[in-house]
PDB file of all heavy atoms in Angstrom:
ATOM      1  N   VAL A  12       3.463 -18.545  -2.995  1.00 91.00           N
ATOM      2  CA  VAL A  12       3.415 -17.132  -2.616  1.00 91.00           C
ATOM      3  C   VAL A  12       3.102 -17.041  -1.126  1.00 91.00           C
ATOM      4  O   VAL A  12       2.840 -18.033  -0.463  1.00 91.00           O
ATOM      5  CB  VAL A  12       2.343 -16.371  -3.430  1.00 91.00           C
ATOM      6  CG1 VAL A  12       2.723 -16.303  -4.906  1.00 91.00           C
ATOM      7  CG2 VAL A  12       0.956 -17.029  -3.269  1.00 91.00           C
ATOM      8  N   THR A  13       3.107 -15.819  -0.622  1.00 89.00           N
ATOM      9  CA  THR A  13       2.648 -15.588   0.742  1.00 89.00           C
ATOM     10  C   THR A  13       1.138 -15.364   0.711  1.00 89.00           C
ATOM     11  O   THR A  13       0.497 -15.522  -0.334  1.00 89.00           O
ATOM     12  CB  THR A  13       3.416 -14.423   1.388  1.00 89.00           C
ATOM     13  OG1 THR A  13       3.149 -14.389   2.790  1.00 89.00           O
ATOM     14  CG2 THR A  13       3.064 -13.079   0.761  1.00 89.00           C
ATOM     15  N   SER A  14       0.556 -14.990   1.833  1.00 90.00           N
ATOM     16  CA  SER A  14      -0.912 -14.914   1.915  1.00 90.00           C
ATOM     17  C   SER A  14      -1.441 -13.491   2.006  1.00 90.00           C
ATOM     18  O   SER A  14      -2.606 -13.282   2.316  1.00 90.00           O
ATOM     19  CB  SER A  14      -1.385 -15.716   3.143  1.00 90.00           C
ATOM     20  OG  SER A  14      -0.975 -17.052   3.041  1.00 90.00           O
ATOM     21  N   SER A  15      -0.597 -12.515   1.728  1.00 92.00           N
ATOM     22  CA  SER A  15      -1.017 -11.117   1.847  1.00 92.00           C
ATOM     23  C   SER A  15      -0.664 -10.361   0.573  1.00 92.00           C
ATOM     24  O   SER A  15      -0.021 -10.896  -0.333  1.00 92.00           O
ATOM     25  CB  SER A  15      -0.328 -10.463   3.051  1.00 92.00           C
ATOM     26  OG  SER A  15       1.079 -10.543   2.915  1.00 92.00           O
ATOM     27  N   SER A  16      -1.086  -9.119   0.530  1.00 94.00           N
ATOM     28  CA  SER A  16      -0.777  -8.248  -0.612  1.00 94.00           C
ATOM     29  C   SER A  16       0.564  -7.577  -0.372  1.00 94.00           C
ATOM     30  O   SER A  16       0.692  -6.726   0.509  1.00 94.00           O
ATOM     31  CB  SER A  16      -1.870  -7.197  -0.792  1.00 94.00           C
ATOM     32  OG  SER A  16      -1.523  -6.317  -1.840  1.00 94.00           O
ATOM     33  N   THR A  17       1.556  -7.973  -1.151  1.00 95.00           N
ATOM     34  CA  THR A  17       2.913  -7.430  -0.977  1.00 95.00           C
ATOM     35  C   THR A  17       3.223  -6.326  -1.976  1.00 95.00           C
ATOM     36  O   THR A  17       4.363  -5.891  -2.101  1.00 95.00           O
ATOM     37  CB  THR A  17       3.951  -8.555  -1.130  1.00 95.00           C
ATOM     38  OG1 THR A  17       3.860  -9.093  -2.462  1.00 95.00           O
ATOM     39  CG2 THR A  17       3.703  -9.665  -0.128  1.00 95.00           C
ATOM     40  N   THR A  18       2.203  -5.863  -2.690  1.00 97.00           N
ATOM     41  CA  THR A  18       2.373  -4.790  -3.668  1.00 97.00           C
ATOM     42  C   THR A  18       2.126  -3.433  -3.019  1.00 97.00           C
ATOM     43  O   THR A  18       1.759  -3.329  -1.849  1.00 97.00           O
ATOM     44  CB  THR A  18       1.385  -4.949  -4.832  1.00 97.00           C
ATOM     45  OG1 THR A  18       0.053  -4.762  -4.317  1.00 97.00           O
ATOM     46  CG2 THR A  18       1.485  -6.325  -5.460  1.00 97.00           C
ATOM     47  N   VAL A  19       2.251  -2.381  -3.826  1.00 97.00           N
ATOM     48  CA  VAL A  19       1.967  -1.039  -3.326  1.00 97.00           C
ATOM     49  C   VAL A  19       0.493  -0.931  -2.916  1.00 97.00           C
ATOM     50  O   VAL A  19       0.142  -0.129  -2.042  1.00 97.00           O
ATOM     51  CB  VAL A  19       2.356   0.025  -4.378  1.00 97.00           C
ATOM     52  CG1 VAL A  19       1.432  -0.009  -5.597  1.00 97.00           C
ATOM     53  CG2 VAL A  19       2.417   1.414  -3.777  1.00 97.00           C
ATOM     54  N   GLY A  20      -0.367  -1.763  -3.519  1.00 97.00           N
ATOM     55  CA  GLY A  20      -1.771  -1.784  -3.110  1.00 97.00           C
ATOM     56  C   GLY A  20      -1.934  -2.225  -1.670  1.00 97.00           C
ATOM     57  O   GLY A  20      -2.857  -1.797  -0.972  1.00 97.00           O
ATOM     58  N   GLY A  21      -1.020  -3.091  -1.196  1.00 96.00           N
ATOM     59  CA  GLY A  21      -1.061  -3.547   0.185  1.00 96.00           C
ATOM     60  C   GLY A  21      -0.754  -2.454   1.184  1.00 96.00           C
ATOM     61  O   GLY A  21      -1.119  -2.551   2.362  1.00 96.00           O
ATOM     62  N   VAL A  22      -0.101  -1.401   0.731  1.00 97.00           N
ATOM     63  CA  VAL A  22       0.157  -0.242   1.595  1.00 97.00           C
ATOM     64  C   VAL A  22      -1.165   0.461   1.903  1.00 97.00           C
ATOM     65  O   VAL A  22      -1.428   0.859   3.037  1.00 97.00           O
ATOM     66  CB  VAL A  22       1.140   0.736   0.920  1.00 97.00           C
ATOM     67  CG1 VAL A  22       1.338   1.990   1.769  1.00 97.00           C
ATOM     68  CG2 VAL A  22       2.475   0.052   0.665  1.00 97.00           C
ATOM     69  N   CYS A  23      -2.008   0.568   0.879  1.00 97.00           N
ATOM     70  CA  CYS A  23      -3.300   1.230   1.057  1.00 97.00           C
ATOM     71  C   CYS A  23      -4.215   0.407   1.969  1.00 97.00           C
ATOM     72  O   CYS A  23      -4.824   0.949   2.891  1.00 97.00           O
ATOM     73  CB  CYS A  23      -3.967   1.447  -0.297  1.00 97.00           C
ATOM     74  SG  CYS A  23      -2.995   2.455  -1.450  1.00 97.00           S
ATOM     75  N   THR A  24      -4.293  -0.904   1.714  1.00 97.00           N
ATOM     76  CA  THR A  24      -5.200  -1.740   2.498  1.00 97.00           C
ATOM     77  C   THR A  24      -4.636  -2.086   3.873  1.00 97.00           C
ATOM     78  O   THR A  24      -5.387  -2.339   4.808  1.00 97.00           O
ATOM     79  CB  THR A  24      -5.531  -3.040   1.742  1.00 97.00           C
ATOM     80  OG1 THR A  24      -4.317  -3.748   1.461  1.00 97.00           O
ATOM     81  CG2 THR A  24      -6.253  -2.751   0.449  1.00 97.00           C
ATOM     82  N   GLY A  25      -3.315  -2.103   3.984  1.00 97.00           N
ATOM     83  CA  GLY A  25      -2.692  -2.527   5.233  1.00 97.00           C
ATOM     84  C   GLY A  25      -2.420  -1.418   6.221  1.00 97.00           C
ATOM     85  O   GLY A  25      -2.078  -1.684   7.382  1.00 97.00           O
ATOM     86  N   LEU A  26      -2.587  -0.163   5.786  1.00 98.00           N
ATOM     87  CA  LEU A  26      -2.376   0.974   6.690  1.00 98.00           C
ATOM     88  C   LEU A  26      -3.487   2.010   6.603  1.00 98.00           C
ATOM     89  O   LEU A  26      -3.538   2.924   7.422  1.00 98.00           O
ATOM     90  CB  LEU A  26      -1.033   1.659   6.389  1.00 98.00           C
ATOM     91  CG  LEU A  26       0.222   0.945   6.875  1.00 98.00           C
ATOM     92  CD1 LEU A  26       1.463   1.551   6.246  1.00 98.00           C
ATOM     93  CD2 LEU A  26       0.330   1.000   8.401  1.00 98.00           C
ATOM     94  N   GLY A  27      -4.343   1.879   5.591  1.00 97.00           N
ATOM     95  CA  GLY A  27      -5.396   2.882   5.417  1.00 97.00           C
ATOM     96  C   GLY A  27      -4.871   4.173   4.829  1.00 97.00           C
ATOM     97  O   GLY A  27      -5.475   5.237   5.019  1.00 97.00           O
ATOM     98  N   ILE A  28      -3.756   4.102   4.089  1.00 96.00           N
ATOM     99  CA  ILE A  28      -3.206   5.281   3.410  1.00 96.00           C
ATOM    100  C   ILE A  28      -3.755   5.320   1.990  1.00 96.00           C
ATOM    101  O   ILE A  28      -3.602   4.345   1.246  1.00 96.00           O
ATOM    102  CB  ILE A  28      -1.664   5.231   3.372  1.00 96.00           C
ATOM    103  CG1 ILE A  28      -1.082   5.290   4.783  1.00 96.00           C
ATOM    104  CG2 ILE A  28      -1.102   6.363   2.518  1.00 96.00           C
ATOM    105  CD1 ILE A  28       0.443   5.163   4.822  1.00 96.00           C
ATOM    106  N   PRO A  29      -4.390   6.404   1.563  1.00 95.00           N
ATOM    107  CA  PRO A  29      -4.888   6.469   0.184  1.00 95.00           C
ATOM    108  C   PRO A  29      -3.736   6.636  -0.811  1.00 95.00           C
ATOM    109  O   PRO A  29      -2.667   7.138  -0.452  1.00 95.00           O
ATOM    110  CB  PRO A  29      -5.794   7.702   0.195  1.00 95.00           C
ATOM    111  CG  PRO A  29      -5.280   8.552   1.310  1.00 95.00           C
ATOM    112  CD  PRO A  29      -4.726   7.616   2.334  1.00 95.00           C
ATOM    113  N   PRO A  30      -3.940   6.205  -2.074  1.00 95.00           N
ATOM    114  CA  PRO A  30      -2.874   6.328  -3.078  1.00 95.00           C
ATOM    115  C   PRO A  30      -2.350   7.748  -3.243  1.00 95.00           C
ATOM    116  O   PRO A  30      -1.170   7.949  -3.523  1.00 95.00           O
ATOM    117  CB  PRO A  30      -3.548   5.836  -4.364  1.00 95.00           C
ATOM    118  CG  PRO A  30      -4.687   4.999  -3.921  1.00 95.00           C
ATOM    119  CD  PRO A  30      -5.146   5.572  -2.615  1.00 95.00           C
ATOM    120  N   THR A  31      -3.227   8.732  -3.050  1.00 95.00           N
ATOM    121  CA  THR A  31      -2.826  10.128  -3.238  1.00 95.00           C
ATOM    122  C   THR A  31      -1.816  10.598  -2.192  1.00 95.00           C
ATOM    123  O   THR A  31      -1.189  11.641  -2.358  1.00 95.00           O
ATOM    124  CB  THR A  31      -4.060  11.040  -3.187  1.00 95.00           C
ATOM    125  OG1 THR A  31      -4.822  10.741  -1.999  1.00 95.00           O
ATOM    126  CG2 THR A  31      -4.944  10.825  -4.405  1.00 95.00           C
ATOM    127  N   LYS A  32      -1.668   9.834  -1.108  1.00 95.00           N
ATOM    128  CA  LYS A  32      -0.724  10.207  -0.053  1.00 95.00           C
ATOM    129  C   LYS A  32       0.615   9.476  -0.186  1.00 95.00           C
ATOM    130  O   LYS A  32       1.515   9.665   0.634  1.00 95.00           O
ATOM    131  CB  LYS A  32      -1.320   9.917   1.330  1.00 95.00           C
ATOM    132  CG  LYS A  32      -2.504  10.814   1.693  1.00 95.00           C
ATOM    133  CD  LYS A  32      -2.072  12.259   1.849  1.00 95.00           C
ATOM    134  CE  LYS A  32      -3.232  13.136   2.303  1.00 95.00           C
ATOM    135  NZ  LYS A  32      -2.827  14.573   2.422  1.00 95.00           N
ATOM    136  N   ILE A  33       0.738   8.623  -1.220  1.00 96.00           N
ATOM    137  CA  ILE A  33       2.009   7.931  -1.451  1.00 96.00           C
ATOM    138  C   ILE A  33       2.861   8.790  -2.367  1.00 96.00           C
ATOM    139  O   ILE A  33       2.517   9.041  -3.527  1.00 96.00           O
ATOM    140  CB  ILE A  33       1.786   6.532  -2.047  1.00 96.00           C
ATOM    141  CG1 ILE A  33       1.028   5.661  -1.042  1.00 96.00           C
ATOM    142  CG2 ILE A  33       3.122   5.878  -2.408  1.00 96.00           C
ATOM    143  CD1 ILE A  33       0.632   4.297  -1.560  1.00 96.00           C
ATOM    144  N   ASP A  34       3.960   9.255  -1.830  1.00 95.00           N
ATOM    145  CA  ASP A  34       4.800  10.224  -2.511  1.00 95.00           C
ATOM    146  C   ASP A  34       5.861   9.568  -3.386  1.00 95.00           C
ATOM    147  O   ASP A  34       6.200  10.063  -4.454  1.00 95.00           O
ATOM    148  CB  ASP A  34       5.474  11.118  -1.455  1.00 95.00           C
ATOM    149  CG  ASP A  34       6.275  12.241  -2.058  1.00 95.00           C
ATOM    150  OD1 ASP A  34       5.674  13.065  -2.761  1.00 95.00           O
ATOM    151  OD2 ASP A  34       7.498  12.295  -1.841  1.00 95.00           O
ATOM    152  N   LYS A  35       6.381   8.427  -2.925  1.00 96.00           N
ATOM    153  CA  LYS A  35       7.504   7.796  -3.617  1.00 96.00           C
ATOM    154  C   LYS A  35       7.492   6.303  -3.324  1.00 96.00           C
ATOM    155  O   LYS A  35       7.212   5.884  -2.201  1.00 96.00           O
ATOM    156  CB  LYS A  35       8.821   8.427  -3.137  1.00 96.00           C
ATOM    157  CG  LYS A  35      10.073   7.959  -3.857  1.00 96.00           C
ATOM    158  CD  LYS A  35      11.284   8.766  -3.376  1.00 96.00           C
ATOM    159  CE  LYS A  35      12.537   8.391  -4.143  1.00 96.00           C
ATOM    160  NZ  LYS A  35      13.711   9.196  -3.718  1.00 96.00           N
TER     161      LYS A  35
END
């Protein structure tokens, strides 16, 4: 595998966007 979170959870941790702001 790679060494980072490549899931939708990685969007939250990698940009500081909360799940409630993910529209699609």
